[in-house]
Amino acid sequence: MAGLVNQAELNPALLPLEWLMGTWESDGPGEGCFPTIKPFRYTETLHFSHVGQPIINFMFNAFHAESKKPMHRECGFIRMQPGTNKVAFIIAQNSGLVEIEEGEVIGQQINLQTHALARISFAKKPHVQQILRAFQLRPDGKLEQTVSMATDNQPLTQHLHITYRPSS
């Protein structure tokens, strides 16, 4: 039902990620670059929610900063290995890439790296081969994300950097 507020308590397995929950809006445009593309600026909304299970649901929506046209979309799930600081993101992207990133939660920081990648048979080349992703809640209450990637023909290089503020 639209407008229904989630009344479920956060599953105890997710307590290390409680700081991530809610909606985040870009705090000014983020910057994207890669050796094979023209640099760009983008805005993005992140939404992290739960229904009481030991899983966080997420949706990321990016828009071109100048034209406002939709760009990248990602959705998926976040799981923690109970009793540890190990975390996994299961991500489906609108580009046809599906990935599993695994890593650790250390305080209010998440560091992830590619564990598995799959793509649709007609995905645009060059193909992504590796992704590193980091989230950090800064002391000023803003969330920062950095994404690096490697493709068939480019080594691991920073691709995205953006800072978010909590949505009001």
Side-chain angles (χ1 to χ4, degrees):
M1 294 171 54
L4 187 63
V5 176
N6 178 17
Q7 298 297 323
E9 284 189 36
L10 187 64
N11 188 288
L14 300 175
L15 288 174
L17 295 172
E18 188 171 23
W19 54 272
L20 194 59
M21 298 304 299
T23 300
W24 299 85
E25 302 277 345
S26 50
D27 187 44
E31 297 183 0
C33 61
F34 203 69
T36 56
I37 62 173
K38 181 180 171 186
F40 62 94
R41 292 169 8 111
Y42 67 103
T43 61
E44 189 170 39
T45 301
L46 310 182
H47 184 70
F48 298 95
S49 63
H50 70 94
V51 294
Q53 295 177 307
I55 298 167
I56 293 174
N57 308 304
F58 71 83
M59 174 76 70
F60 301 169
N61 295 301
F63 298 87
H64 192 275
E66 285 76 32
S67 71
K68 310 295 185 218
K69 288 184 179 179
M71 293 175 67
H72 196 79
R73 295 185 63 149
E74 298 182 10
C75 61
F77 307 95
I78 304 170
R79 298 191 57 146
M80 296 271 321
Q81 183 179 9
T84 74
N85 67 339
K86 295 188 185 317
V87 64
F89 278 50
I90 302 109
I91 304 168
Q93 299 185 21
N94 64 340
S95 63
L97 184 66
V98 178
E99 57 178 303
I100 296 173
E101 296 175 9
E102 292 189 7
E104 295 181 325
V105 178
I106 300 167
Q108 293 179 325
Q109 183 168 336
I110 304 169
N111 295 305
L112 301 158
Q113 64 183 347
T114 304
H115 178 72
L117 289 174
R119 64 186 52 82
I120 58 176
S121 63
F122 50 92
K124 187 174 153 186
K125 291 184 178 183
H127 291 153
V128 173
Q129 297 296 335
Q130 181 182 16
I131 295 174
L132 297 182
R133 185 183 311 255
F135 288 97
Q136 179 175 349
L137 185 62
R138 300 185 336 192
D140 63 4
K142 294 181 180 177
L143 182 66
E144 189 172 9
Q145 180 180 200
T146 304
V147 177
S148 298
M149 73 177 183
T151 64
D152 293 333
N153 59 9
Q154 292 295 324
L156 192 63
T157 305
Q158 184 173 308
H159 175 47
L160 304 171
H161 181 261
I162 190 166
T163 302
Y164 311 91
R165 58 179 163 67
S167 181
S168 48

mmCIF file with all atom_site columns, all heavy atoms in Angstrom, residues 3 16 27 69 80 85 92 106-107 131 151 153 163:
data_model
loop_
_atom_site.group_PDB
_atom_site.id
_atom_site.type_symbol
_atom_site.label_atom_id
_atom_site.label_alt_id
_atom_site.label_comp_id
_atom_site.label_asym_id
_atom_site.label_entity_id
_atom_site.label_seq_id
_atom_site.pdbx_PDB_ins_code
_atom_site.Cartn_x
_atom_site.Cartn_y
_atom_site.Cartn_z
_atom_site.occupancy
_atom_site.B_iso_or_equiv
_atom_site.pdbx_formal_charge
_atom_site.auth_seq_id
_atom_site.auth_comp_id
_atom_site.auth_asym_id
_atom_site.auth_atom_id
_atom_site.pdbx_PDB_model_num
ATOM 1  N N   . GLY A 1 3   ? 2.400  4.748   0.677   1.00 0.00 ? 3   GLY A N   1
ATOM 2  C CA  . GLY A 1 3   ? 2.387  5.620   1.836   1.00 0.00 ? 3   GLY A CA  1
ATOM 3  C C   . GLY A 1 3   ? 2.474  4.897   3.167   1.00 0.00 ? 3   GLY A C   1
ATOM 4  O O   . GLY A 1 3   ? 2.547  5.522   4.203   1.00 0.00 ? 3   GLY A O   1
ATOM 5  N N   . PRO A 1 16  ? 24.992 -3.065  12.438  1.00 0.00 ? 16  PRO A N   1
ATOM 6  C CA  . PRO A 1 16  ? 26.200 -2.360  11.993  1.00 0.00 ? 16  PRO A CA  1
ATOM 7  C C   . PRO A 1 16  ? 25.949 -1.406  10.813  1.00 0.00 ? 16  PRO A C   1
ATOM 8  O O   . PRO A 1 16  ? 26.798 -0.562  10.524  1.00 0.00 ? 16  PRO A O   1
ATOM 9  C CB  . PRO A 1 16  ? 27.147 -3.491  11.581  1.00 0.00 ? 16  PRO A CB  1
ATOM 10 C CG  . PRO A 1 16  ? 26.670 -4.685  12.342  1.00 0.00 ? 16  PRO A CG  1
ATOM 11 C CD  . PRO A 1 16  ? 25.177 -4.526  12.427  1.00 0.00 ? 16  PRO A CD  1
ATOM 12 N N   . ASP A 1 27  ? 24.566 15.901  -2.556  1.00 0.00 ? 27  ASP A N   1
ATOM 13 C CA  . ASP A 1 27  ? 24.845 17.213  -1.989  1.00 0.00 ? 27  ASP A CA  1
ATOM 14 C C   . ASP A 1 27  ? 25.722 17.944  -3.006  1.00 0.00 ? 27  ASP A C   1
ATOM 15 O O   . ASP A 1 27  ? 26.924 18.012  -2.858  1.00 0.00 ? 27  ASP A O   1
ATOM 16 C CB  . ASP A 1 27  ? 25.566 17.034  -0.644  1.00 0.00 ? 27  ASP A CB  1
ATOM 17 C CG  . ASP A 1 27  ? 25.740 18.340  0.093   1.00 0.00 ? 27  ASP A CG  1
ATOM 18 O OD1 . ASP A 1 27  ? 24.780 19.130  0.135   1.00 0.00 ? 27  ASP A OD1 1
ATOM 19 O OD2 . ASP A 1 27  ? 26.839 18.564  0.636   1.00 0.00 ? 27  ASP A OD2 1
ATOM 20 N N   . LYS A 1 69  ? 18.427 14.173  -17.464 1.00 0.00 ? 69  LYS A N   1
ATOM 21 C CA  . LYS A 1 69  ? 17.984 12.901  -18.034 1.00 0.00 ? 69  LYS A CA  1
ATOM 22 C C   . LYS A 1 69  ? 18.415 11.752  -17.138 1.00 0.00 ? 69  LYS A C   1
ATOM 23 O O   . LYS A 1 69  ? 19.495 11.774  -16.550 1.00 0.00 ? 69  LYS A O   1
ATOM 24 C CB  . LYS A 1 69  ? 18.577 12.709  -19.433 1.00 0.00 ? 69  LYS A CB  1
ATOM 25 C CG  . LYS A 1 69  ? 17.965 13.615  -20.464 1.00 0.00 ? 69  LYS A CG  1
ATOM 26 C CD  . LYS A 1 69  ? 18.514 13.313  -21.841 1.00 0.00 ? 69  LYS A CD  1
ATOM 27 C CE  . LYS A 1 69  ? 17.859 14.229  -22.855 1.00 0.00 ? 69  LYS A CE  1
ATOM 28 N NZ  . LYS A 1 69  ? 18.383 13.986  -24.207 1.00 0.00 ? 69  LYS A NZ  1
ATOM 29 N N   . MET A 1 80  ? 24.320 -9.037  5.678   1.00 0.00 ? 80  MET A N   1
ATOM 30 C CA  . MET A 1 80  ? 25.470 -9.158  6.574   1.00 0.00 ? 80  MET A CA  1
ATOM 31 C C   . MET A 1 80  ? 25.600 -10.623 6.966   1.00 0.00 ? 80  MET A C   1
ATOM 32 O O   . MET A 1 80  ? 24.591 -11.297 7.150   1.00 0.00 ? 80  MET A O   1
ATOM 33 C CB  . MET A 1 80  ? 25.267 -8.345  7.860   1.00 0.00 ? 80  MET A CB  1
ATOM 34 C CG  . MET A 1 80  ? 25.164 -6.864  7.696   1.00 0.00 ? 80  MET A CG  1
ATOM 35 S SD  . MET A 1 80  ? 26.704 -5.932  7.753   1.00 0.00 ? 80  MET A SD  1
ATOM 36 C CE  . MET A 1 80  ? 27.706 -6.671  9.004   1.00 0.00 ? 80  MET A CE  1
ATOM 37 N N   . ASN A 1 85  ? 31.604 -8.762  10.573  1.00 0.00 ? 85  ASN A N   1
ATOM 38 C CA  . ASN A 1 85  ? 31.497 -7.469  9.900   1.00 0.00 ? 85  ASN A CA  1
ATOM 39 C C   . ASN A 1 85  ? 31.476 -7.643  8.382   1.00 0.00 ? 85  ASN A C   1
ATOM 40 O O   . ASN A 1 85  ? 31.642 -6.688  7.642   1.00 0.00 ? 85  ASN A O   1
ATOM 41 C CB  . ASN A 1 85  ? 32.641 -6.541  10.333  1.00 0.00 ? 85  ASN A CB  1
ATOM 42 C CG  . ASN A 1 85  ? 33.999 -7.027  9.850   1.00 0.00 ? 85  ASN A CG  1
ATOM 43 O OD1 . ASN A 1 85  ? 34.197 -8.205  9.540   1.00 0.00 ? 85  ASN A OD1 1
ATOM 44 N ND2 . ASN A 1 85  ? 34.948 -6.115  9.786   1.00 0.00 ? 85  ASN A ND2 1
ATOM 45 N N   . ALA A 1 92  ? 21.634 -5.324  -9.297  1.00 0.00 ? 92  ALA A N   1
ATOM 46 C CA  . ALA A 1 92  ? 21.229 -5.397  -10.708 1.00 0.00 ? 92  ALA A CA  1
ATOM 47 C C   . ALA A 1 92  ? 21.261 -3.977  -11.258 1.00 0.00 ? 92  ALA A C   1
ATOM 48 O O   . ALA A 1 92  ? 20.714 -3.060  -10.649 1.00 0.00 ? 92  ALA A O   1
ATOM 49 C CB  . ALA A 1 92  ? 19.831 -5.983  -10.842 1.00 0.00 ? 92  ALA A CB  1
ATOM 50 N N   . ILE A 1 106 ? 33.419 -1.380  8.669   1.00 0.00 ? 106 ILE A N   1
ATOM 51 C CA  . ILE A 1 106 ? 34.337 -0.993  9.737   1.00 0.00 ? 106 ILE A CA  1
ATOM 52 C C   . ILE A 1 106 ? 33.842 0.350   10.256  1.00 0.00 ? 106 ILE A C   1
ATOM 53 O O   . ILE A 1 106 ? 33.987 1.376   9.575   1.00 0.00 ? 106 ILE A O   1
ATOM 54 C CB  . ILE A 1 106 ? 35.788 -0.900  9.237   1.00 0.00 ? 106 ILE A CB  1
ATOM 55 C CG1 . ILE A 1 106 ? 36.229 -2.259  8.688   1.00 0.00 ? 106 ILE A CG1 1
ATOM 56 C CG2 . ILE A 1 106 ? 36.716 -0.413  10.351  1.00 0.00 ? 106 ILE A CG2 1
ATOM 57 C CD1 . ILE A 1 106 ? 37.500 -2.247  7.896   1.00 0.00 ? 106 ILE A CD1 1
ATOM 58 N N   . GLY A 1 107 ? 33.194 0.325   11.422  1.00 0.00 ? 107 GLY A N   1
ATOM 59 C CA  . GLY A 1 107 ? 32.600 1.549   11.949  1.00 0.00 ? 107 GLY A CA  1
ATOM 60 C C   . GLY A 1 107 ? 31.517 2.032   11.002  1.00 0.00 ? 107 GLY A C   1
ATOM 61 O O   . GLY A 1 107 ? 30.580 1.295   10.674  1.00 0.00 ? 107 GLY A O   1
ATOM 62 N N   . ILE A 1 131 ? 34.979 -4.125  -9.869  1.00 0.00 ? 131 ILE A N   1
ATOM 63 C CA  . ILE A 1 131 ? 34.461 -2.906  -9.248  1.00 0.00 ? 131 ILE A CA  1
ATOM 64 C C   . ILE A 1 131 ? 34.917 -2.865  -7.796  1.00 0.00 ? 131 ILE A C   1
ATOM 65 O O   . ILE A 1 131 ? 34.869 -3.885  -7.099  1.00 0.00 ? 131 ILE A O   1
ATOM 66 C CB  . ILE A 1 131 ? 32.919 -2.844  -9.322  1.00 0.00 ? 131 ILE A CB  1
ATOM 67 C CG1 . ILE A 1 131 ? 32.479 -2.751  -10.781 1.00 0.00 ? 131 ILE A CG1 1
ATOM 68 C CG2 . ILE A 1 131 ? 32.370 -1.672  -8.509  1.00 0.00 ? 131 ILE A CG2 1
ATOM 69 C CD1 . ILE A 1 131 ? 30.988 -2.829  -10.995 1.00 0.00 ? 131 ILE A CD1 1
ATOM 70 N N   . THR A 1 151 ? 37.854 -2.470  -16.864 1.00 0.00 ? 151 THR A N   1
ATOM 71 C CA  . THR A 1 151 ? 37.139 -3.087  -17.986 1.00 0.00 ? 151 THR A CA  1
ATOM 72 C C   . THR A 1 151 ? 38.109 -3.978  -18.760 1.00 0.00 ? 151 THR A C   1
ATOM 73 O O   . THR A 1 151 ? 39.280 -4.110  -18.386 1.00 0.00 ? 151 THR A O   1
ATOM 74 C CB  . THR A 1 151 ? 36.561 -2.007  -18.936 1.00 0.00 ? 151 THR A CB  1
ATOM 75 O OG1 . THR A 1 151 ? 37.652 -1.274  -19.525 1.00 0.00 ? 151 THR A OG1 1
ATOM 76 C CG2 . THR A 1 151 ? 35.620 -1.060  -18.206 1.00 0.00 ? 151 THR A CG2 1
ATOM 77 N N   . ASN A 1 153 ? 39.632 -3.369  -21.326 1.00 0.00 ? 153 ASN A N   1
ATOM 78 C CA  . ASN A 1 153 ? 40.790 -2.664  -21.885 1.00 0.00 ? 153 ASN A CA  1
ATOM 79 C C   . ASN A 1 153 ? 41.315 -1.519  -21.011 1.00 0.00 ? 153 ASN A C   1
ATOM 80 O O   . ASN A 1 153 ? 42.136 -0.743  -21.469 1.00 0.00 ? 153 ASN A O   1
ATOM 81 C CB  . ASN A 1 153 ? 40.471 -2.151  -23.289 1.00 0.00 ? 153 ASN A CB  1
ATOM 82 C CG  . ASN A 1 153 ? 39.278 -1.202  -23.307 1.00 0.00 ? 153 ASN A CG  1
ATOM 83 O OD1 . ASN A 1 153 ? 38.788 -0.783  -22.260 1.00 0.00 ? 153 ASN A OD1 1
ATOM 84 N ND2 . ASN A 1 153 ? 38.821 -0.856  -24.490 1.00 0.00 ? 153 ASN A ND2 1
ATOM 85 N N   . THR A 1 163 ? 28.960 12.911  -2.918  1.00 0.00 ? 163 THR A N   1
ATOM 86 C CA  . THR A 1 163 ? 28.613 13.075  -1.510  1.00 0.00 ? 163 THR A CA  1
ATOM 87 C C   . THR A 1 163 ? 27.115 13.316  -1.417  1.00 0.00 ? 163 THR A C   1
ATOM 88 O O   . THR A 1 163 ? 26.533 14.010  -2.251  1.00 0.00 ? 163 THR A O   1
ATOM 89 C CB  . THR A 1 163 ? 29.380 14.282  -0.905  1.00 0.00 ? 163 THR A CB  1
ATOM 90 O OG1 . THR A 1 163 ? 30.775 14.046  -1.077  1.00 0.00 ? 163 THR A OG1 1
ATOM 91 C CG2 . THR A 1 163 ? 29.070 14.447  0.562   1.00 0.00 ? 163 THR A CG2 1
#
